[in-house]
């Protein structure tokens, strides 16, 4: 993947999703087996109430968000709850892509792994190590 869309067009949601799914598929065990039920959602920008709850003023300041309980906090007695979800916000990702000149596939992988890190309750250092493992593969 070259990390860019066709000349003159911004990558669409399907392109962002494909990069994110490829990133998830490249994760080693034990991570991969814990991600089979994660729902991946690509949206243009975060909804106003999400931004307000996070104290974020501008929708282009949020590239991704994890909704759910980290793996270590899950309970077998939970029922009826929504599945864990990773939201990626396309316009915010594209804005950061333009501002930073980072390859799009690297940026989407970074955001995806950061949100997966929340699923596992990883530290920032652990997230960076996992990202290095996946992007160096």
């Amino acid at each position: 993947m070259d990390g860019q869309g066709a000349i003159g067009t911004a990558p669409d949601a399907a392109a962002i999703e494909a990069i994110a799914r490829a990133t998830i598929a490249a994760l080693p065990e034990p991570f991969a087996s814990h991600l089979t039920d994660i729902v991946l959602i690509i949206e243009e920008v975060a909804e106003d109430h999400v931004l307000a709850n996070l104290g974020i003023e501008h929708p282009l300041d949020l590239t991704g968000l994890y909704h759910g309980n980290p793996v270590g906090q899950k309970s077998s007695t939970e029922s009826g709850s929504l599945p864990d979800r990773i939201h990626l916000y396309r316009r915010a990702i594209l804005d950061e892509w333009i501002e930073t000149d980072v390859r799009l596939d690297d940026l989407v992988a970074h955001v995806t792994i950061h949100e997966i890190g929340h699923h596992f309750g990883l530290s920032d250092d652990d997230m960076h190590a996992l990202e290095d493992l996946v992007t160096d593969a």
Side-chain angles (χ1 to χ4, degrees), residues 21-135:
R21 291 202 182 280
T23 299
I24 293 169
L27 291 169
E29 290 297 340
F31 300 102
S33 61
H34 288 282
L35 296 171
T36 56
D37 295 330
I38 292 276
V39 176
L40 181 62
I41 302 165
I42 313 300
E43 298 176 288
E44 287 300 297
V45 294
E47 296 177 355
D48 289 340
H49 74 276
V50 170
L51 296 168
N53 287 342
L54 295 171
I56 297 173
E57 292 185 22
H58 198 281
L60 297 183
D61 290 338
L62 183 63
T63 55
L65 184 64
Y66 169 76
H67 284 275
N69 292 322
V71 170
Q73 296 177 11
K74 298 227 181 268
S75 168
S76 61
T77 61
E78 289 179 7
S79 67
S81 61
L82 291 171
D84 294 337
R85 301 168 316 282
I86 293 175
H87 294 256
L88 299 179
Y89 300 110
R90 186 183 85 90
R91 287 186 46 209
I93 289 170
L94 295 179
D95 190 60
E96 187 171 328
W97 176 46
I98 291 166
E99 287 179 5
T100 63
D101 202 31
V102 171
R103 287 172 39 115
L104 182 63
D105 51 349
D106 289 342
L107 179 58
V108 172
H110 170 79
V111 174
T112 302
I113 289 171
H114 184 84
E115 300 315 324
I116 287 168
H118 290 302
H119 176 68
F120 287 100
L122 299 178
S123 70
D124 283 342
D125 287 342
D126 290 338
M127 288 182 214
H128 289 296
L130 183 58
E131 183 178 352
D132 291 343
L133 182 67
V134 170
T135 58

